[in-house]
Amino acid sequence: MGKKQRAEEIAVGSGLVLVDKPAAWTSHDVVGRIRRLAGTRKVGHAGTLDPMATGVLVVGINRATRLLTHIVGVSKTYTATIRLGQSTTTDDADGEVVATRFANAVSRERLDAEVEALTGEIQQVPSTVSAIKVDGRRAYDRARRGEDVQLAARPVTVHRFDVLEVRRLEGGRMVDVDVEVDVSSGTYVRALARDLGEALEVGGHLTALRRTAVGPYRIENALTLEQLAEDFGYVDLAEAAARIFSRRELTQEEAENLGHGRRITASGTGAAGEPDRLTAAFGPDGELIALLKDVPAKKGASASGDAARAAAAEQVIFQAKPELVFAPQ
């Protein structure tokens, strides 16, 4: 049932490593380090962190790399420091300062008003040094070559944008604002810093960024690379899936059908108006068998006996289709 695993994958196991990424490391650097520590090349990450940023980087090893696509889309939480009074080429401290404007006149009342305006569903133009592709090339590659990069605004959601502390520097000419934000996938916190600065007419950029949560995975459970070198710990594949998706317990017959790619009776998510929602399906032994998605019932589709008969008789609207089937250990 499923794809055969290499011997090293069985030895190491499959799961998610929650890394507390250090500053100055790229996400690719972290993946390389985890490859060496885990002794496997089958490693990937969910959601890039810029080199200056620290905090939760979710890394998948072996079969758990197949979960990463679904983890990328979850909401994330960050703490950050926004410096008002300076704009940079990258909207963060790694870039060159391109404009300086006095922030003395920025009041707390106006700051709070502009923060509120950037909360909720907004249109955001990503930073020109983002990883977004423009005609097949990364925006940051084009920007570094001196090209004029114009990115379109796109919808994102800022669920929460809290001001924690305000500090005035150099006699008030610059203002540092410590914030905490909960944002949807695809939101650039440095773009929030830039837009807040522009709304206040003084410019702004990030001087610090720390990711404290990726969906259910929090910084309290993350390990540094030094800690992982001493004791390599990870979240088991089954537990990792159970934290993200709703859980469905299977019969042995259902587990066997899914293992062969057949549809089974619906999980109920499609009928509830959430056709894109995935469900983690577990066998009687607790093994993660598959990720399921409720899709419209289809006559003639490869399905279990019960599901096929119900579809043929037009007695059902949805069937549970195996979107991702996991090989056994």
Side-chain angles (χ1 to χ4, degrees):
M1 181 172 68
K3 183 179 177 182
K4 186 176 180 181
Q5 288 179 271
R6 297 187 180 93
E8 64 267 24
E9 294 179 19
I10 297 173
V12 176
S14 299
L16 298 180
V17 185
L18 307 183
V19 181
D20 186 350
K21 188 190 88 66
W25 283 60
T26 67
S27 298
H28 182 72
D29 291 337
V30 173
V31 166
R33 180 63 171 152
I34 296 300
R35 282 187 178 130
R36 292 189 290 274
L37 292 175
T40 177
R41 293 200 55 78
K42 199 168 183 181
V43 179
H45 68 81
T48 301
L49 274 177
D50 293 331
M52 71 160 279
T54 66
V56 180
L57 184 68
V58 179
V59 178
I61 55 174
N62 294 325
R63 290 185 297 159
T65 55
R66 305 174 76 190
L67 290 177
L68 298 178
T69 300
H70 306 290
I71 297 173
V72 167
V74 302
S75 294
K76 300 169 180 68
T77 302
Y78 298 86
T79 57
T81 299
I82 299 171
R83 177 157 295 172
L84 300 175
Q86 285 183 335
S87 301
T88 72
T89 53
T90 58
D91 302 326
D92 63 21
D94 283 344
E96 297 179 6
V97 175
V98 293
T100 299
R101 288 174 276 181
F102 288 168
N104 305 62
V106 175
S107 66
R108 180 58 190 263
E109 291 74 21
R110 190 177 175 200
L111 172 64
D112 289 342
E114 297 301 344
V115 164
E116 184 177 356
L118 287 169
T119 304
E121 297 179 0
I122 64 173
Q123 292 288 322
Q124 184 184 75
V125 177
S127 171
T128 56
V129 291
S130 67
I132 294 173
K133 286 190 175 181
V134 180
D135 295 330
R137 287 172 51 203
R138 301 289 185 186
Y140 59 72
D141 282 336
R142 290 181 175 274
R144 287 167 185 165
R145 291 176 179 270
E147 298 180 30
D148 181 24
V149 180
Q150 299 292 329
L151 298 176
R154 57 184 186 173
V156 299
T157 303
V158 180
H159 302 289
R160 181 170 61 93
F161 195 164
D162 291 341
V163 174
L164 304 179
E165 186 178 352
V166 177
R167 299 183 301 280
R168 296 188 178 271
L169 311 175
E170 298 185 7
R173 289 192 293 273
M174 289 189 294
V175 178
D176 276 1
V177 184
D178 294 335
V179 302
E180 185 171 38
V181 296
D182 292 331
V183 297
S184 64
S185 176
T187 304
Y188 287 86
V189 181
R190 54 186 162 159
L192 282 179
R194 175 201 66 204
D195 293 344
L196 179 61
E198 289 307 311
L200 292 167
E201 301 178 290
V202 297
H205 70 280
L206 281 185
T207 61
L209 181 66
R210 183 164 177 77
R211 188 154 69 192
T212 57
V214 176
Y217 306 114
R218 304 193 61 81
I219 191 66
E220 292 85 356
N221 305 118
L223 299 172
T224 65
L225 292 172
E226 291 77 13
Q227 290 172 320
L228 287 165
E230 294 180 5
D231 184 8
F232 191 78
Y234 59 91
V235 181
D236 177 78
L237 176 62
E239 182 184 349
R243 289 192 192 181
I244 304 170
F245 309 105
S246 56
R247 183 183 182 106
R248 175 172 173 176
E249 303 294 343
L250 304 173
T251 65
Q252 186 60 43
E253 182 180 0
E254 288 174 328
E256 291 172 359
N257 277 306
L258 289 176
H260 290 93
R262 302 187 187 110
R263 300 182 181 193
I264 60 174
T265 56
S267 300
T269 55
E274 298 177 284
D276 294 327
R277 183 177 177 184
L278 296 178
T279 299
F282 293 85
D285 59 356
E287 177 86 11
L288 177 65
I289 303 298
L291 296 184
L292 305 179
K293 179 180 177 181
D294 280 1
V295 297
K298 183 178 179 181
K299 297 178 183 178
S302 178
S304 65
D306 289 344
R309 286 189 292 272
E314 299 183 347
Q315 296 175 341
V316 297
I317 300 175
F318 293 99
Q319 295 170 320
K321 177 184 177 182
E323 287 291 292
L324 196 58
V325 178
F326 293 88
Q329 292 279 17

PDB file of all heavy atoms in Angstrom, residues 312-324:
ATOM      1  N   ALA A 312     -24.048   5.373  -7.532  1.00  0.00           N
ATOM      2  CA  ALA A 312     -24.784   4.879  -8.695  1.00  0.00           C
ATOM      3  C   ALA A 312     -26.283   5.070  -8.519  1.00  0.00           C
ATOM      4  O   ALA A 312     -27.009   5.337  -9.481  1.00  0.00           O
ATOM      5  CB  ALA A 312     -24.462   3.410  -8.923  1.00  0.00           C
ATOM      6  N   ALA A 313     -26.746   4.943  -7.292  1.00  0.00           N
ATOM      7  CA  ALA A 313     -28.179   5.104  -6.999  1.00  0.00           C
ATOM      8  C   ALA A 313     -28.546   6.559  -6.748  1.00  0.00           C
ATOM      9  O   ALA A 313     -29.704   6.850  -6.433  1.00  0.00           O
ATOM     10  CB  ALA A 313     -28.548   4.258  -5.782  1.00  0.00           C
ATOM     11  N   GLU A 314     -27.555   7.461  -6.896  1.00  0.00           N
ATOM     12  CA  GLU A 314     -27.764   8.903  -6.670  1.00  0.00           C
ATOM     13  C   GLU A 314     -28.318   9.180  -5.275  1.00  0.00           C
ATOM     14  O   GLU A 314     -29.170  10.038  -5.086  1.00  0.00           O
ATOM     15  CB  GLU A 314     -28.673   9.487  -7.750  1.00  0.00           C
ATOM     16  CG  GLU A 314     -28.092   9.364  -9.151  1.00  0.00           C
ATOM     17  CD  GLU A 314     -28.970  10.016 -10.205  1.00  0.00           C
ATOM     18  OE1 GLU A 314     -30.124  10.352  -9.904  1.00  0.00           O
ATOM     19  OE2 GLU A 314     -28.471  10.191 -11.333  1.00  0.00           O
ATOM     20  N   GLN A 315     -27.808   8.443  -4.307  1.00  0.00           N
ATOM     21  CA  GLN A 315     -28.250   8.596  -2.920  1.00  0.00           C
ATOM     22  C   GLN A 315     -27.319   9.508  -2.113  1.00  0.00           C
ATOM     23  O   GLN A 315     -27.623   9.827  -0.971  1.00  0.00           O
ATOM     24  CB  GLN A 315     -28.330   7.222  -2.238  1.00  0.00           C
ATOM     25  CG  GLN A 315     -29.371   6.300  -2.840  1.00  0.00           C
ATOM     26  CD  GLN A 315     -29.329   4.926  -2.227  1.00  0.00           C
ATOM     27  OE1 GLN A 315     -28.330   4.526  -1.613  1.00  0.00           O
ATOM     28  NE2 GLN A 315     -30.419   4.164  -2.373  1.00  0.00           N
ATOM     29  N   VAL A 316     -26.196   9.901  -2.689  1.00  0.00           N
ATOM     30  CA  VAL A 316     -25.245  10.740  -1.964  1.00  0.00           C
ATOM     31  C   VAL A 316     -24.851  11.931  -2.827  1.00  0.00           C
ATOM     32  O   VAL A 316     -24.952  11.901  -4.056  1.00  0.00           O
ATOM     33  CB  VAL A 316     -23.972   9.958  -1.554  1.00  0.00           C
ATOM     34  CG1 VAL A 316     -24.312   8.844  -0.591  1.00  0.00           C
ATOM     35  CG2 VAL A 316     -23.259   9.421  -2.788  1.00  0.00           C
ATOM     36  N   ILE A 317     -24.407  13.000  -2.162  1.00  0.00           N
ATOM     37  CA  ILE A 317     -23.938  14.198  -2.864  1.00  0.00           C
ATOM     38  C   ILE A 317     -22.414  14.222  -2.912  1.00  0.00           C
ATOM     39  O   ILE A 317     -21.813  14.617  -3.899  1.00  0.00           O
ATOM     40  CB  ILE A 317     -24.462  15.470  -2.171  1.00  0.00           C
ATOM     41  CG1 ILE A 317     -25.993  15.468  -2.169  1.00  0.00           C
ATOM     42  CG2 ILE A 317     -23.937  16.721  -2.862  1.00  0.00           C
ATOM     43  CD1 ILE A 317     -26.602  16.633  -1.406  1.00  0.00           C
ATOM     44  N   PHE A 318     -21.797  13.772  -1.802  1.00  0.00           N
ATOM     45  CA  PHE A 318     -20.341  13.799  -1.709  1.00  0.00           C
ATOM     46  C   PHE A 318     -19.768  12.426  -1.419  1.00  0.00           C
ATOM     47  O   PHE A 318     -20.422  11.556  -0.839  1.00  0.00           O
ATOM     48  CB  PHE A 318     -19.897  14.748  -0.583  1.00  0.00           C
ATOM     49  CG  PHE A 318     -20.195  16.199  -0.852  1.00  0.00           C
ATOM     50  CD1 PHE A 318     -21.314  16.807  -0.307  1.00  0.00           C
ATOM     51  CD2 PHE A 318     -19.353  16.959  -1.649  1.00  0.00           C
ATOM     52  CE1 PHE A 318     -21.589  18.134  -0.537  1.00  0.00           C
ATOM     53  CE2 PHE A 318     -19.616  18.294  -1.899  1.00  0.00           C
ATOM     54  CZ  PHE A 318     -20.743  18.887  -1.344  1.00  0.00           C
ATOM     55  N   GLN A 319     -18.508  12.258  -1.836  1.00  0.00           N
ATOM     56  CA  GLN A 319     -17.693  11.120  -1.444  1.00  0.00           C
ATOM     57  C   GLN A 319     -16.370  11.656  -0.918  1.00  0.00           C
ATOM     58  O   GLN A 319     -15.948  12.748  -1.294  1.00  0.00           O
ATOM     59  CB  GLN A 319     -17.417  10.207  -2.647  1.00  0.00           C
ATOM     60  CG  GLN A 319     -18.636   9.527  -3.235  1.00  0.00           C
ATOM     61  CD  GLN A 319     -18.304   8.848  -4.551  1.00  0.00           C
ATOM     62  OE1 GLN A 319     -17.562   9.387  -5.366  1.00  0.00           O
ATOM     63  NE2 GLN A 319     -18.869   7.657  -4.772  1.00  0.00           N
ATOM     64  N   ALA A 320     -15.731  10.895  -0.039  1.00  0.00           N
ATOM     65  CA  ALA A 320     -14.421  11.291   0.473  1.00  0.00           C
ATOM     66  C   ALA A 320     -13.351  10.723  -0.443  1.00  0.00           C
ATOM     67  O   ALA A 320     -13.197   9.510  -0.567  1.00  0.00           O
ATOM     68  CB  ALA A 320     -14.223  10.792   1.897  1.00  0.00           C
ATOM     69  N   LYS A 321     -12.611  11.631  -1.077  1.00  0.00           N
ATOM     70  CA  LYS A 321     -11.549  11.238  -2.004  1.00  0.00           C
ATOM     71  C   LYS A 321     -10.194  11.334  -1.315  1.00  0.00           C
ATOM     72  O   LYS A 321      -9.910  12.331  -0.657  1.00  0.00           O
ATOM     73  CB  LYS A 321     -11.581  12.160  -3.228  1.00  0.00           C
ATOM     74  CG  LYS A 321     -10.479  11.891  -4.236  1.00  0.00           C
ATOM     75  CD  LYS A 321     -10.534  12.909  -5.361  1.00  0.00           C
ATOM     76  CE  LYS A 321      -9.390  12.697  -6.347  1.00  0.00           C
ATOM     77  NZ  LYS A 321      -9.416  13.728  -7.437  1.00  0.00           N
ATOM     78  N   PRO A 322      -9.338  10.328  -1.447  1.00  0.00           N
ATOM     79  CA  PRO A 322      -7.995  10.415  -0.849  1.00  0.00           C
ATOM     80  C   PRO A 322      -7.121  11.383  -1.631  1.00  0.00           C
ATOM     81  O   PRO A 322      -6.708  11.102  -2.758  1.00  0.00           O
ATOM     82  CB  PRO A 322      -7.478   8.983  -0.927  1.00  0.00           C
ATOM     83  CG  PRO A 322      -8.232   8.362  -2.062  1.00  0.00           C
ATOM     84  CD  PRO A 322      -9.575   9.014  -2.079  1.00  0.00           C
ATOM     85  N   GLU A 323      -6.868  12.541  -1.051  1.00  0.00           N
ATOM     86  CA  GLU A 323      -6.009  13.536  -1.694  1.00  0.00           C
ATOM     87  C   GLU A 323      -4.534  13.177  -1.550  1.00  0.00           C
ATOM     88  O   GLU A 323      -3.729  13.482  -2.413  1.00  0.00           O
ATOM     89  CB  GLU A 323      -6.239  14.915  -1.068  1.00  0.00           C
ATOM     90  CG  GLU A 323      -7.544  15.562  -1.459  1.00  0.00           C
ATOM     91  CD  GLU A 323      -7.567  15.986  -2.917  1.00  0.00           C
ATOM     92  OE1 GLU A 323      -6.818  16.920  -3.274  1.00  0.00           O
ATOM     93  OE2 GLU A 323      -8.319  15.382  -3.695  1.00  0.00           O
ATOM     94  N   LEU A 324      -4.212  12.556  -0.444  1.00  0.00           N
ATOM     95  CA  LEU A 324      -2.819  12.204  -0.168  1.00  0.00           C
ATOM     96  C   LEU A 324      -2.822  10.905   0.623  1.00  0.00           C
ATOM     97  O   LEU A 324      -3.420  10.816   1.695  1.00  0.00           O
ATOM     98  CB  LEU A 324      -2.173  13.315   0.652  1.00  0.00           C
ATOM     99  CG  LEU A 324      -0.657  13.363   0.745  1.00  0.00           C
ATOM    100  CD1 LEU A 324      -0.021  13.467  -0.631  1.00  0.00           C
ATOM    101  CD2 LEU A 324      -0.229  14.556   1.600  1.00  0.00           C
TER     102      LEU A 324
END
